[in-house]
Amino acid sequence: MSDSSRRLHGLEFFLRSQQRPDTKASGIHARILDDVTHVNLRGNSNDAEFNRGVEKVLGQALPVEPNTVSIRESHIYWLGPDEWLVVSKAADSPGLATRLENTLRNIHSSVNDISGGQVTFTLSGENVERVLNKACTIDFDAGTFKPGHCAQSGLAKASVLIGCIEQSRTFELIVRRSFADYVARWLRHAARHHGIEFR
Amino acid sequence: MFLIQCPWCGNRAETEYRYGGEAGISRPKDPDALSDAEWSDYLFYRSNPRGAHKELWNHAQGCRRWFEVERDTVSYKIARSYKLADRNSESGS
Amino acid sequence: MKKYSGLSLVTGALRHNRNWQPAWRKPDPKREYDAIIVGGGGHGLATAYYLAKEHGVRNVAVLEKGWIGGGNTGRNTTIVRSNYLWTEASLLYEKSLKLWENLSQELNYNVMFSQRGVYNLGHTLQDMRDIERRVGANRLNGIDAEVVNAEQVKQAIPLINTSPDARYPILGASLQRRGGVARHDAVAWGFARAADALGVDIIEQCEVTAVNRDGGQVTGVETTRGRIASKKIGVVVAGNASVLASMADLRLPIESHPLQAFVSEPLKPVLDTVVMSGAVHGYISQSDKGELVIGAGIDAYLGYGQRGSFQTIEHTMEAIIQLFPMFSRVRMLRSWGGIVDVCPDACPIISKTPVQGLYFNCGWGTGGFKATPGSGWVFAHTIAQDRPHELNAPFDLNRFTTGALIDEHGAAAVAH
Amino acid sequence: MQLDRLKTGGRIDRTRPLNFRFNGKTYSGFAGDTLASALLANDVALVSRSFKLHRPRGIVGAGAEEPNAIVQVGTGASTLPNMRATQVELYDGLEARSTKGWPNLRFDLAALNDRFSKVFGAGFYYKTFMRPKAFWKYYERFIRASAGFGIAPTEPDPDSYEHRNAHCDVLVAGGGPAGLMAALVAARSGARVIIADEQNEFGGSLLSGSESIDGKPAAEWVNAVIAELRDRGNVTVLTRSTVFGYYDHNFIAVAEHCSDHKGERAADGVRERLWRVRADQVVLAQGAFERPLVFCNNDRPGVMTASAVSTYINRYGVCPGKRAVVFTNNDSAYRTALDLNNAGIPVVVVDCRKSGAGSLGATADAAGITVLRGHIVSDVIGRHRVSGIRIARWDGDTQSTFDSTIRIDCDLLAMSGGWSPAVHLHSQSGGTNAWDETRHCFVPAESAQANVSAGACNGHWSLKACLQDGIDAGAEVAARCGLRTMPVELPVTTEGTDNPMQALWRVPASKDPDRCPKQFIDYQNDTSVADVRLAAREGYRNVEHVKRYTALGFGTDQGKLGNINGMAILAECLGKTIPEVGTTTFRPVYTPVTFGLGAGENVGELFDPIRKTAIHERHQAAGSPFEVVGQWHRPWYFPQGGEDLHAAVARECLATRNSVGMMDASTLGKIDARGPDVVEFLERIYTHDVGRMKVGRCAYGIMLREDGMLMDDGVMARLGEHQYYLTTTTGGAANVLNWLETWLQTEWPELKVYLTSLTDSFSTIAVAGPKSRDVLQNAGCSIDLGKENFSFMSVQQAVLAGFPVQLFRVSFSGELAFEINIDSAYASQMWQILMESGKEFDITPYGTETMHVLRAEKGFVIVGQDTDGSVTPVDLGMNWLLSKNKDFLGKRSLSRQDCVRDDRKQLVGLLSVDGSTVVPEGTQLIEDPGAPKPVPMCGHVTSSYFSATLGHPIAMALVSAGHRRKDETIYAYLADNLVVPVTIVSPVFYDAKGARQNV
C-alpha cells in the first residue's frame, strides 16, 4: 500500500494529460507542490501568550501587517486580523497542527490542518505578473508587490492567495482543492502565448 | 467598478467584496416582545435613501471581515470606510 | 383626438405633415385635481388612462419630474410574459398580457407588441423541476405554457448552443408563445396620448418636493411648479418610491438597485424569439430595428445613479456567448442603467397606505414593463374605489407583516 | 487603377500595394490605407444606402464619426458586421461589401421609400399597421427583414480575446498634440502613465494636416515624443486602443485591436485585448468632431466634412474629387481649400460670413482661390454622386428663403459647420458640459471624477492652444499625484488669427423647411430637419423624446456627427436656446465593442469553474455521468453495460438495501466551529438544543432565515466541550459559513468563536447497507464498530486501512451506514481500498440519483428540492426540532399570522393510485380535476421516483393542510391535461421504525 499512502494534490491527472511544451518557449514555469503542510490558525495576536506559543512552535513570529507573508522556514500568510495560514515543507510539518494545538490548548484559538484542502503552485518567469493580471485586479508592480507581499483576491472566477516569495519574481499561488483543476486549466490557457510548463 | 477601501487590506476592486445592505439594523434583543409589525420593520423595511448611505461590505475574497462604508447612492462616491469597532468614532478613511 | 391610420399618414404627407396635432397637451397644473398620479412612466400614465376610461375620473394630473417614459419605461428590455409561478403573480401579469394583446387598437397607437414567444431555459435537473412546476401552474391558471426539450429549443432558435458539452448544457425550457416584446417608448406615448384625449393633464418637468397631509389624510403635493391639491394621490415612481414615501413619513420594504441593459449594433434578423436563462444570467431578444436587446444582471448595491458596474456587463456578455458563441464578434453599441425598486419577495406593492388617500404602486423590481397596462388597470381601480381589486389584493403592504409573501425568487432553484 | 490617388504625399507605403474586394469587384490600395481611403482612391463614391429611405450614400468622414460607410468585412465565421470603412485598415485580400441595396447597391428597389419619404416621416410606424390586428405579424416580418445593417456570423468565433488589469497614476485618452504633451509632462514627472490612441499611429489631428512644429513637419515631432515615451520605463504606449468607457472610481475600459489590421483572423495571439485600467488621474484628449452643415440634399455621395477631405489628401494621398467646393461658417475649412489647391484641384470657397475668414482668408486669396463671402449652398445636384451645387447670396437671416441661385459644377463638396469637442468620456464620467456662446459648442464644465480635459476636447482649436493645454493638464494631474512636475517648454508653431464662426444650424433653402428637399441631420437614420420639426409639432419636445421619436443619434455612430446640429435645430423651432434644450445623455460605449472583448477568456469551459472532488477522476473512469450541482460536478449514477438511468438506479438502490453501496459525499459543506462560546453561538443559529448534545454525539440540525423559512440543514457533531463539526448542504456551504461569520462579526462580536471551512480539506465517503460494517472491518479498522461501542448518531476517531479518519455513524439512506471523513489527499486511495474491501459483498458505487431515492424512501428532505424559500420547518413536520427553551434565528417569524395558518402547504408522501405512474417532479396537485380554469392548486410534487425496493413509485409533495389529510385522494395534473389520482400518505415509505439504521 506504499503507493496509495502517497499524498495526492488532485492534479496528477491534469499533469499527465498536458502535452509537453517545447521548453524553449516556456516563458512561465508552474510547479504544483507535493507534500506541503497547510495549517489554518486563528487567534488573538494582541494576546502575548498566544504569540509566544505560536512563535515557540513555528520559530517565527506571526505577521500582523495585512498583505504580508513572513518567509522563513515556514511561509506564514496574514489572512485576516485573527487568521493566518502556515505553509511548511519541513519534514516534521505533518505534526505541526498537533504541536500548535497542544501548545495553544488553554488559549482561545483555532488550529486546523487543511493541507488536503489546498493546492500550492509556484509560478516563475518574467511574464508571470502579466498572466496573473489578465484576471486579477491586484497591482503586481515590482515596486509595490515585493517579496514578503501577499494578497488574497480573485483569479478569474476562483478565490486565490498570491504571495511574492522571491526577488526573482517567484510567486506562490494557493487555491482551494476543488478549484485547482479550474485554476490549472485557466493558467494553461491564459499563459499559452508565453509558453507554460507544469511540473 | 468601485474601488473600495478595506480597513485592513486597503483599496481593492469591488469584485472582491460582497455587499451587505444598510448598516445599523441590529437584531431586536427580545423578538417575542415585538408586534408582528415591529418585527417586519426589522425584517424588511429599509431607509433606502437617495444620497448618503451607511452600508455593510464584506471583503469576501480577502480577509473576510465585515466593515462599514459611507457612500452616496447617487454619485457613488465613498466618503469613508471603517471597522465595525470604530462605528461611533470619526476615525477611518 | 385625431385618429392615426395609414390614411392619416397619406393626408399628412400631402400637407407636408403640418396638420399633425400634439400627441398630448402641455398644460399648466390646475390648483386642484380629483386625483394626482406622481410619476409619468408607463405605469403612471396607464393608471391615469384607466382612471379616466374605466372609472370616469377625468380630472386627473400626471406629474413627471422629467420627461414622460424617461425612467425604467424607456430603459428596460421590453419583455412581456405572464408565466409566473405563484397564482397571485401570474393572474396579475396575465391580466396585463390580455390588455397588451389589444393595446395598439385600444390606444390607437402602435406599441408594436410582438408575440414572438419567450423561452426560459433550464440547465440543471432542479431548473427542469422548477419549469415543470411553473408550467403546470400556468396551465391550471389558464395561461399558455409548455415544456420543450433541447431539440425543440434548437429548432426554434437555430443559433443557440445546445451542445451537451456546454458548461451549462440546455436540458430544456419553458415556452410561452403569447409572450414577446413591445416598443417601450410607444407604450408611454400611447397611454399619454389616450389619457390626454380623455382630459388627463400630463405635466412634465414638475417634480414633487413634498406630500401635504391633514392628519391622516393627504391634501396634495408641493411641486417645482407650485402647490397642487388633491385628496387622492397615487405614487408610482419605481426606484424613487422610498424617496416619495419618506415625504409622507412612510418607510417601504424596498431597496433601489441599478439594473443595466445594452443593445448591439443593428443586425439582419438572427433571433426570432425571446431567450432567458436564469442559470447563466442572461436574456436576449432582437428588436424590429435589428438590435440585439440584452438584459444584464442587477448590481448588488443600492444605487440611484442610473448606471452600474462594468463587470456586470462583462458577465452578461459571457452568458450570451455561452448561449450564442457566434455573437462574440457582434458589438455592443450602447449600454445604460435604470433604478429598480426591489421587494423582498420580488413582487410588487400595489396598495393603500396608512395615510388616507395615499396609494403606492412600486416594488416591480426587474419585471415592471410587462405589467404596465395591468398595473395601471388595478391601480386605477384601487384609487377610484379606495380598495384593491381582487387581482392586486394579495399585493398589499400588509403582507410583510403577516408574512404572506408571494415569494417569486424564493421559489427559484437552490442548488443542493 | 487608383484614379484619385495623388502622385505624391500621404503616410501610405506606395511600395506595398494591397488588393481587396468591395461588392465583388477587385481594387488595389496601399499599406497605410483605410478601406475608405482606398475606395476613394479608386473613385468609388457610392458605398451604402441609408437605413429607412435607402438613399445612395458615400463616405462623409474619416473616423469614428462615419455614419454612411457601414460595411460587412470578412467572410464565414470571421465576418464582421457594421464596420466603419473609415476605421478598417486595409490588408491584402480584404473582402468587404455593403449590406444595403437590393438587387444591388446601385439599383435599389427599396429606394422607392425615398419617393414617399413624407409618408415615412418621424414615428410613422406608431400611427399605422394597427388594422387588421392579426396582420401586425406580417407587417412586422417585412419591417424586420428591411431593418438592420450587418449580418451576424453563424459559426462560433474562431478568435480569442483577453483582459488585462492595469494600474497607473495617469491615463491619457488620445494621442494628438494635447494628449502627447500631457503624457510627456506626466511621464517626465515620474508618473506611471498609460497613453492610448484609437488610431494605428499617434498624432491625431496632426496626421490630417500640414502643420509644422519647431520648424519641422509635425510628424517628426510626434515621433520624437513617442520615442521618448517608449524609452521611459514608466509609460505604456497603446495604439489601435480606444478608450470606450469611463466608469465609477476612475475605472477606465480600453479596447486594444490587436489583429484586425493584419487579416480576417487573428493568426496567432488574440484579436482584441480589454484593458481594465484603474487610474489615479485621467487626461481626456480625444479631440473634436467637425459638424456637417444642414442644407438640401446634403447627404449626396461626394459631400464630406472638410476635415475628412484634408485627411484623405494629407494622410492618404487621395483626393476624393476633381472639382471641389468648400462650404463653411468658420475658418478651419480654409485649410481644406488650401490643401485642395495644393493638390491641384480647382476649388471654390462658399463662406456664409460676409467677413469671410481671418489670416487663412488672406492666404486663400493670395493662392488665387475664389472665395464667395456671404453665400450659402442651397441645394446639391446629382443622385449617386454630386454633379454640382446651387449657391445663393445670404444676408444672415436664418428664416429667409430665395429662388435666385447660381449653379456651380463640382463632384466634391467639403463642408464645415464648426466643431464639437468629444466630451463623451467626460460626460460618461458624470461631468457636466456648458454651452460656449463664442465657440458654439458644448465644452467640459465640472468634472465628477479625477480627470482633466485638454486640447480640442476642451474647446481649443489652434495647435498652439492645444499643446499648451496639454502641458497644463499634464502638470495638473502630476501634481494631483503628488509628483514634482518637470517643466516642458511649449513647442514653436505658426499661428494665424481667426474670424469668429457664424452659427448656421439650418441652411436656408428655396422653400421652407417642411417643403424643401431633405436637409439631413442624422444621415444613418435619415433624420431630417422636417422630422425634428414634426416631432416638435407633435409634442415630442424634450430632446430625449425627439431623439427617440426621430431616431436622431440612434445610429451606429451614436450621433457623433449630427447630434449637436439636431439639438440646435430643435432649439430653433422651439424658440429656445441650445443650453435650454440641452444634450442627450452620452452613454457608454464611445465606439462599439465586441461581446467577445467583454467576455475575454471566460468562455467555453472557463465560463464558470467546475469544482471537482478528490475522487472525481475515479468516477470519470467508472463512466459516471455527472450532475451539475452549483459549480460542482457530482456522479449522477454508475451505469453498467448499456444501463440507462432507471436501470442503474434500481440496481444501485437494491444493492445498497440488500448488501452495501458507497457514494462520494465530499461536496457537503464542512465547518469547524470552536471557542468558549461555541455552544451559545450555535444555540442562536440552530433550532434544536445544541448544548444538550454529549461530546461524541451527532445530531441533525436545521437553520432558518430570519423570516422563518428553512435555510439549510445538516448533521453536526460535538467533537469536544467547545468544538463542533458542522456539515451543510452542497449548495449551502458558502452561504452558511458567510451567514455564521456575519452574525459573529456584526451582531455578536462578544462571542468567542472561530469558524474554519474544512469543505475541501476533508472528503466524505458514505458506505451504506447491511454489509457496510463488514466492509470497514475488511479494510482494517482500529476501533470496534459494534453497536455497543459505536452507536448510531455518534462519531469517533479511527484509523482505517492505515489512514486516520473521522467516522460518523449517520445514515441518509436509512441503512446501517458509516460516513468516512478523510484527508482529501488520501480520499482517492480510500475509495479504491473500500471498493476492494467490499468486493465480496459486491459493493456498489452509487450517485446522486440513488442517494435521492434512498433518502426519499425514508422521507428525508433535500433543501432546495423539497423546499423553496417559502417553507417553514413546521410545514415539514419538524416541530420536534424547534426548541421551546431558547430564541434562535427565525423563531419569531414562525408565529406570524401567515405562518400559523393551518392550511399551509405541508410535506407529505404521495402514492399514485394506479400503483405505476411516476408523477414528474414539479407536477401541480389539484382537488377537483373538473374545476374550470383558473383551477385552484393545493400543492406540488417535490420528489418522485420509482422505488425498486418497494416495487412501486413514491413521491413527496407539499400539500395544503397535508398533515391532516392522510389517505385522502387528490389529483396530479400532468402535461397534456392528463390527470392521475394520488393518495396522501406519510412521507416515510420504508422502515418507519428506523430499525435498519440502528443495528
Side-chain angles (χ1 to χ4, degrees), chain A residues 54-124:
Chain A
V54 175
E55 197 160 350
K56 188 163 115 265
V57 177
L58 297 178
Q60 67 197 90
L62 293 173
V64 288
E65 187 62 31
N67 306 323
T68 62
V69 49
S70 138
I71 304 171
R72 302 265 291 278
E73 164 148 26
S74 304
H75 296 171
I76 309 180
Y77 288 87
W78 182 96
L79 298 182
D82 60 6
E83 186 167 18
W84 296 265
L85 175 68
V86 183
V87 177
S88 172
K89 303 180 195 63
D92 63 345
S93 62
L96 199 54
T98 324
R99 294 203 296 281
L100 275 168
E101 213 158 358
N102 295 337
T103 319
L104 302 174
R105 170 146 294 119
N106 305 318
I107 305 166
H108 172 40
S109 61
S110 172
V111 180
N112 280 285
D113 187 323
I114 56 170
S115 310
Q118 311 229 90
V119 174
T120 314
F121 299 79
T122 58
L123 302 172
S124 54

Side-chain angles (χ1 to χ4, degrees), chain B residues 1 25 30 44-45 48 56 58 66 75 90 93:
Chain B
M1 183 165 74
I25 309 273
D30 180 5
F44 301 124
Y45 286 70
N48 193 32
L56 288 165
N58 178 261
W66 283 99
S75 73
E90 278 315 299
S93 59

Side-chain angles (χ1 to χ4, degrees), chain C residues 3-6 9 13 16-18 20-24 26 67-68 74-75 86-87 91 101-102 104-105 108-110 112-114 116 124-126 129 132-133 136-137 139-142 159 167-168 183-186 189 204-205 262 264-272 280 286-291 294 307 310-311 314 317-322 325-336 400-404 407 410-411 414-416, chain D residues 51 77-83 118-119 124-131 133 136 140 144 147-151 153-157 159 161 163 247-248 264 274 276 512 514-515 525 534 537-540 542 544-545 548-549 554 556 558 587-589 592-596 598-599 602 604 607-610 627-631 633 636 730-731 852 862-865 868-870 896-898 905 921-922 924 926 933-935 937 940 973 976-977:
Chain C
K3 197 165 179 310
Y4 288 161
S5 70
L9 287 174
H16 307 287
N17 290 318
R18 284 175 171 170
W20 297 103
Q21 299 305 310
W24 65 91
K26 308 281 175 188
W67 39 285
I68 63 166
R75 295 167 184 272
W86 300 106
T87 297
L91 292 184
E101 286 173 321
N102 293 300
S104 294
Q105 291 69 27
N108 177 232
Y109 200 104
N110 191 347
M112 302 186 180
F113 178 47
S114 172
R116 39 193 62 255
T124 66
L125 297 177
Q126 188 56 41
R129 286 183 197 106
E132 202 58 64
R133 179 183 174 191
R139 295 159 64 99
L140 286 163
N141 279 320
L159 292 186
R167 175 64 185 86
Y168 285 100
R183 176 80 180 89
H184 54 12
D185 294 326
W189 300 338
E204 297 176 83
Q205 309 301 330
F262 59 94
S264 74
E265 296 179 295
L267 300 164
K268 294 292 178 197
V270 283
L271 182 59
D272 203 32
V280 304
Q286 185 173 24
S287 74
D288 286 350
K289 193 167 189 280
E291 298 166 327
I294 295 164
R307 64 186 191 283
F310 185 61
Q311 72 271 11
E314 292 176 321
M317 288 177 167
E318 295 168 10
I320 296 305
I321 292 173
Q322 264 295 299
M326 63 287 304
F327 290 168
S328 165
R329 290 174 98 84
V330 171
R331 299 192 295 186
M332 167 168 78
L333 175 59
R334 191 167 64 241
S335 76
W336 64 89
F400 297 98
T401 304
T402 63
D407 204 345
V414 187
H416 55 85
Chain D
F51 197 90
S78 54
T79 189
L80 295 168
N82 301 317
M83 300 299 282
K118 283 203 161 62
V119 176
F124 75 96
Y125 30 77
Y126 301 127
K127 298 171 180 167
T128 181
F129 304 137
M130 287 179 279
R131 302 204 179 271
K133 183 181 154 197
W136 166 241
E140 190 178 34
R144 287 174 82 86
F149 278 110
I151 296 156
T154 55
E155 302 154 61
D157 192 337
D159 293 333
Y161 304 75
H163 291 180
Y247 301 90
D248 286 287
E264 218 172 282
L274 173 64
R276 307 166 91 243
D512 69 68
D514 299 322
R515 302 163 78 207
N525 286 322
L534 173 59
R537 191 174 297 132
E538 294 195 83
Y540 303 92
N542 182 290
E544 289 285 354
H545 280 156
R548 289 152 180 266
Y549 194 67
F554 263 117
T556 57
Q558 290 286 284
R587 302 190 185 287
V589 289
V593 295
T594 60
F595 295 1
N602 301 326
F607 169 63
D608 198 34
I610 295 176
E627 180 186 357
V628 177
V629 184
Q631 290 179 314
H633 271 197
W636 190 10
T730 297
H852 284 187
I862 291 203
V863 175
Q865 176 172 340
D868 56 31
S870 60
R896 290 176 304 169
Q897 188 182 326
D898 191 71
K905 293 188 176 138
E921 289 167 342
Q924 293 289 342
I926 57 178
K933 288 176 175 171
V935 182
M937 288 159 261
H940 75 281
Y973 176 81
D976 322 318
N977 304 316

Side-chain angles (χ1 to χ4, degrees), chain D residues 10 230 377 380 443 479 586 675 690 704 740 927:
Chain D
R230 286 191 196 278
V377 173
V380 177
V443 292
F586 289 86
V690 177
L704 313 182
L740 302 186
E927 308 277 358

Side-chain angles (χ1 to χ4, degrees), chain D residues 766-845:
Chain D
V767 183
K771 294 278 178 256
S772 51
R773 186 178 279 131
D774 309 69
V775 174
L776 268 62
Q777 264 148 2
N778 280 8
C781 187
S782 64
I783 61 165
D784 166 10
L785 299 170
K787 184 180 178 184
E788 299 62 30
N789 173 59
F790 193 22
S791 62
F792 184 54
M793 293 308 273
S794 66
V795 56
Q796 288 194 32
Q797 306 290 336
V799 176
L800 182 64
F803 297 97
V805 297
Q806 204 152 37
L807 275 187
F808 293 83
R809 253 212 74 178
V810 295
S811 176
F812 198 45
S813 59
E815 297 298 328
L816 168 70
F818 299 85
E819 282 191 3
I820 300 154
N821 261 32
I822 180 169
D823 182 337
S824 292
Y826 299 122
S828 181
Q829 296 96 309
M830 178 56 73
W831 180 269
Q832 194 51 27
I833 290 164
L834 292 168
M835 285 296 284
E836 280 152 19
S837 323
K839 265 207 177 68
E840 64 182 274
F841 312 105
D842 194 12
I843 190 167
T844 303

Side-chain angles (χ1 to χ4, degrees), chain D residues 424-445:
Chain D
H424 302 67
L425 292 176
H426 168 79
S427 307
Q428 278 185 35
S429 74
T432 60
N433 299 301
W435 181 254
D436 184 308
E437 283 301 340
T438 56
R439 287 174 286 187
H440 301 281
C441 62
F442 282 101
V443 292

